[in-house]
């Protein structure tokens, strides 16, 4: 089972590890520590195999069992979660205040601490994709405290990188950058391919949401090379997805589409459901930009079909947000409204966004409701939904800077529809400034388009429309429609 897991043969790993656990009766609570540790390791490895196939539900179940066996269980209620989080924050503060006195001096044997850290590290992925910020922060700090108590290790480097992601989701960007530096230093000292590749990849996940393209390019190149040499197909596919998303945000749509094609092919070859879904959703977004709305809708329906048996709220949110816009462009307003309502219900279930790639899920809801309002379908329910969607998008932008241009763009449309033209103009100018500052030319084209179409017949309006069309030509996009987001 361990050999199958190391080789990425996840189905075989599940069969062998499950068989091993069946033949090894669970020890009693006061049973031998060696037996409990062995079973905890197998449970954690079984979780790794399920996660490799994209089955986060079973992955979470087996990680919970592993931590129970290790005596570091997950909190069972929100109240217990808050209490445990406060205790772990106090431990981490002590570690930061006295690093030389606390490193390697945990309460449990080092190998048990490292195994608990491995389980919590995997749980951070589960909570990140579930957009569960409190659970994500708790698991991140648990993983780090357990690893620091065991002393320097590859797990410690990984834990520092996860703390970078957790701090960025709060967001506390200065702290996120500090943990990223510590993660890289620790990984380089460990001198192993995979930990350094993982650390560089996780740093990329943080950097893309912050639109730090120069740093991202360097980190991605190193991460991809290291993960390919280490033979980790799953993490390599994740890194390639981040590369394609980076191209998408920067307006390099042809390059992005090729990248998403590659991710989708790899996902099918290795039976990795998340990679298949990411490839389909990414290509659907590229098709929307190119004005091929029927093809975009087909890809989105394919992605939603894959998610039927293995639902993932984050991926469903993104898919329904994009589908709502595709249906709006197909001139099917009722279908667009229904898809937007589904995405809005998913947003309401999230405490806070943790994933940068949810931008179009949040933005799609706002785009559809604002467009319905603008075209005269302005019932009180539509207006309320538009305001809620814009408020949610502003919350997304507070965590992920890449959302700032679109959040301000739609805030301008909301102000215009509410009879506040001056406020609208200020919001669109802020959208344009954010897009130019962040190096996002597609977002700049959208802002120029809004500024231009609301100053029709004036030299300033004409200039904005010309700049919008010039940017769209540079991005190889249709120029006939420049006033809507997609």
């Amino acid at each position: 089972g361990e050999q199958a897991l190391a080789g990425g043969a996840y189905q075989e790993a599940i069969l062998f590890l499950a068989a091993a656990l069946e033949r090894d009766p669970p020890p009693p609570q006061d049973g031998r520590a060696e037996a409990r540790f062995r079973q905890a390791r197998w449970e954690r490895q079984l979780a790794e195999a399920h996660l490799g196939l994209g089955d986060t539900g079973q992955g979470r179940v087996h990680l919970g069992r592993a931590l129970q066996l290790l005596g570091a269980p997950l909190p069972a209620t929100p109240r217990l979660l808050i209490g445990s989080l406060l205790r772990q924050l106090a431990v981490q503060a002590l570690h930061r205040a006295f690093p030389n006195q606390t490193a390697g001096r945990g309460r449990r044997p080092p190998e048990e601490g490292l195994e608990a850290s491995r389980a919590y590290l995997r749980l951070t992925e589960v909570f990140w994709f579930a957009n569960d910020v409190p659970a994500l922060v708790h698991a991140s700090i648990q993983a780090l405290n357990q690893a620091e108590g065991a002393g320097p290790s590859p797990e410690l480097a990984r834990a520092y990188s996860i703390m970078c992601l957790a701090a960025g989701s709060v967001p506390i960007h200065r702290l996120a950058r500090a943990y990223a530096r510590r993660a890289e230093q620790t990984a380089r000292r460990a001198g192993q391919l995979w930990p350094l590749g993982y650390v560089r990849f996780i740093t990329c996940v943080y950097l893309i949401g912050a639109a730090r393209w120069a740093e991202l390019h360097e980190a991605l190149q190193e991460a991809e090379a290291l993960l390919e040499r280490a033979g980790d197909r799953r993490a390599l596919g994740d890194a390639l997805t981040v590369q394609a998303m980076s191209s998408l945000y920067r307006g390099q749509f042809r390059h992005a589409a090729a990248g998403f094609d590659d991710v989708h092919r790899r996902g099918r070859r290795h039976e990795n459901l998340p990679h298949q879904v990411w490839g389909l959703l990414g290509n659907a977004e590229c098709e929307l930009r190119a004005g091929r709305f029927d093809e975009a809708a087909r890809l989105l329906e394919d992605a939603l079909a894959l998610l039927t048996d293995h639902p993932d709220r984050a991926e469903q949110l993104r898919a329904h947000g994009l589908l709502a816009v595709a249906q709006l462009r197909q001139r099917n307003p009722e279908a667009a409204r229904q898809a937007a309502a589904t995405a809005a219900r998913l947003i309401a279930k999230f405490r806070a966004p943790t994933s940068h790639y949810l931008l179009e899920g949040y933005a799609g809801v706002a785009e559809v409701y604002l467009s319905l309002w603008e075209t005269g379908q302005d019932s009180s329910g539509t207006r309320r939904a538009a305001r809620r969607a814009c408020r949610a998008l502003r919350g997304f932008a507070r965590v992920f800077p890449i959302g700032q241009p679109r959040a301000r763009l739609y805030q301008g449309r909301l102000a215009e529809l509410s009879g506040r033209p001056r406020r609208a103009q200020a919001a669109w100018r802020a959208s344009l400034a954010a897009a130019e500052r962040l190096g996002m030319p597609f977002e700049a084209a959208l802002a120029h388009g809004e500024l231009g179409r609301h100053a029709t017949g004036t030299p300033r309006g004409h200039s904005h429309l010309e700049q919008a069309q010039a940017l769209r030509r540079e991005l190889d996009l249709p120029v006939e429609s420049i006033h809507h987001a997609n």
Side-chain angles (χ1 to χ4, degrees):
E2 290 175 347
Q3 287 179 346
L5 181 63
Y10 300 122
Q11 292 283 12
E12 290 80 358
I14 289 170
L15 291 173
F16 285 119
L17 290 167
L21 283 162
E22 285 177 9
R23 286 159 175 74
D24 194 25
Q29 288 295 323
D30 57 353
R32 289 187 302 121
E34 179 185 347
R36 295 178 65 79
F37 176 75
R38 179 178 65 244
Q39 288 210 337
R41 187 179 73 250
W42 290 350
E43 289 282 4
R44 191 263 307 164
Q45 291 172 327
L46 189 53
E48 300 255 10
H50 280 291
L51 291 172
L53 292 173
D55 189 346
T56 56
Q58 282 298 306
R60 181 171 179 169
V61 167
H62 290 289
L63 289 170
R65 291 176 184 171
L67 289 167
Q68 190 72 39
L69 287 162
L70 290 166
L74 282 168
T77 66
R79 184 175 179 179
L80 291 174
L81 175 67
I82 296 301
S84 180
L85 177 58
L86 292 174
R87 288 192 296 275
Q88 293 303 318
L89 283 168
V91 171
Q92 182 56 202
L94 185 65
H95 286 189
R96 298 280 64 78
F98 305 103
N100 295 328
Q101 298 178 35
T102 55
R105 297 187 181 182
R107 296 182 178 180
R108 61 176 68 240
E111 189 52 41
E112 287 187 18
L114 289 177
E115 189 60 38
S117 180
R118 292 176 194 124
Y120 270 113
L121 282 167
R122 282 306 190 191
L123 274 170
T124 60
E125 298 179 25
V126 174
F127 295 138
W128 190 76
F129 286 117
N131 278 256
D132 191 340
V133 174
L136 168 65
V137 174
H138 173 262
S140 302
I141 299 176
Q142 273 274 21
L144 179 54
N145 288 341
Q146 297 283 356
E148 285 187 324
S153 67
E155 286 78 9
L156 180 58
R158 292 170 58 197
Y160 282 135
S161 69
I162 290 294
M163 278 301 296
C164 161
L165 205 57
S169 297
V170 172
I172 309 174
H173 293 294
R174 183 176 179 181
L175 184 62
R177 291 192 290 271
Y179 275 120
R181 289 191 296 271
R182 193 178 291 270
E184 185 175 348
Q185 292 165 0
T186 306
R188 292 195 186 281
R189 281 198 296 269
Q192 298 179 23
L193 287 178
W194 190 87
L196 181 56
Y198 179 89
V199 162
R200 295 299 275 162
F201 161 65
I202 293 296
T203 302
C204 291
V205 175
Y206 165 70
L207 291 172
I208 192 171
R212 300 175 66 172
W213 310 124
E215 296 173 63
L216 176 67
H217 179 70
E218 178 186 345
L220 266 176
Q221 284 190 320
E222 185 175 12
E224 290 174 11
L226 289 166
L227 292 170
E228 189 160 22
R229 288 171 61 194
D232 190 330
R233 297 190 302 230
R234 176 171 174 262
L236 177 59
D238 293 350
L240 292 171
T241 303
V242 171
Q243 179 71 269
M245 290 300 299
S246 168
S247 298
L248 190 64
Y249 293 142
R250 289 181 292 161
Q252 300 169 354
F253 298 118
R254 287 178 182 264
H255 191 270
F260 287 124
D261 277 337
D262 185 29
V263 170
H264 183 253
R265 282 195 301 270
R266 289 170 181 264
R268 295 192 65 179
R269 188 184 314 134
H270 304 307
E271 299 182 338
N272 186 296
L273 180 68
H275 291 169
Q276 294 178 57
V277 172
W278 294 343
L280 290 169
L281 293 180
N283 265 321
E285 190 170 339
C286 293
E287 295 295 335
L288 270 178
R289 297 290 180 261
R292 293 186 286 269
F293 309 129
D294 292 345
E295 180 62 16
R298 185 190 67 78
L299 292 168
L300 292 165
E301 295 289 359
D302 288 347
L304 286 167
L306 287 176
L307 292 167
T308 301
D309 294 331
H310 296 284
D312 182 307
R313 288 192 303 182
E315 305 301 345
Q316 289 170 322
L317 165 57
R318 185 179 173 207
H320 282 292
L322 287 166
L323 183 60
V325 174
Q327 289 166 333
L328 188 72
R329 298 293 176 267
Q330 291 175 307
R331 303 190 177 174
N332 191 345
E334 275 312 304
R337 187 192 295 273
Q338 291 174 16
T342 300
R345 286 192 294 271
L346 289 167
I347 289 173
K349 293 179 180 179
F350 292 158
R351 291 186 177 93
T354 59
S355 311
H356 63 82
Y357 61 81
L358 292 181
L359 171 58
E360 296 303 329
Y362 280 75
V365 178
E367 164 71 11
V368 167
Y369 283 123
L370 288 168
S371 294
L372 292 174
W373 183 351
E374 186 176 10
T375 55
Q377 303 179 57
D378 55 344
S379 67
S380 59
T382 298
R383 294 193 292 272
R384 284 196 302 271
R387 292 189 178 98
R388 281 196 301 269
C390 288
R391 186 163 56 248
L393 183 55
R394 289 199 304 274
F396 177 93
R398 280 193 291 272
V399 178
F400 300 106
I402 56 166
Q404 292 173 6
R406 197 77 64 85
R408 288 165 180 165
L409 184 88
Y410 291 161
Q411 197 61 35
R413 289 184 66 184
L414 180 63
E416 178 71 21
L417 290 167
S418 302
R420 298 175 177 176
R422 289 186 179 179
R423 183 172 293 186
Q425 289 288 325
W428 291 326
R429 288 193 296 271
S431 174
L432 178 57
E436 291 176 341
R437 183 181 72 253
L438 296 171
M440 301 176 73
F442 176 71
E443 304 293 336
L446 297 181
H448 277 301
E450 290 291 357
L451 287 164
R453 79 183 182 105
H454 287 92
T456 305
T458 69
R460 184 178 62 184
H462 182 70
S463 173
H464 280 300
L465 289 175
E466 282 192 334
Q467 290 180 77
Q469 292 175 343
L471 281 170
R472 292 183 76 93
R473 280 192 290 269
E474 287 176 17
L475 299 173
D476 197 24
L477 297 179
V479 298
E480 63 272 16
S481 176
I482 59 177
H483 60 279
H484 289 302
N486 293 299

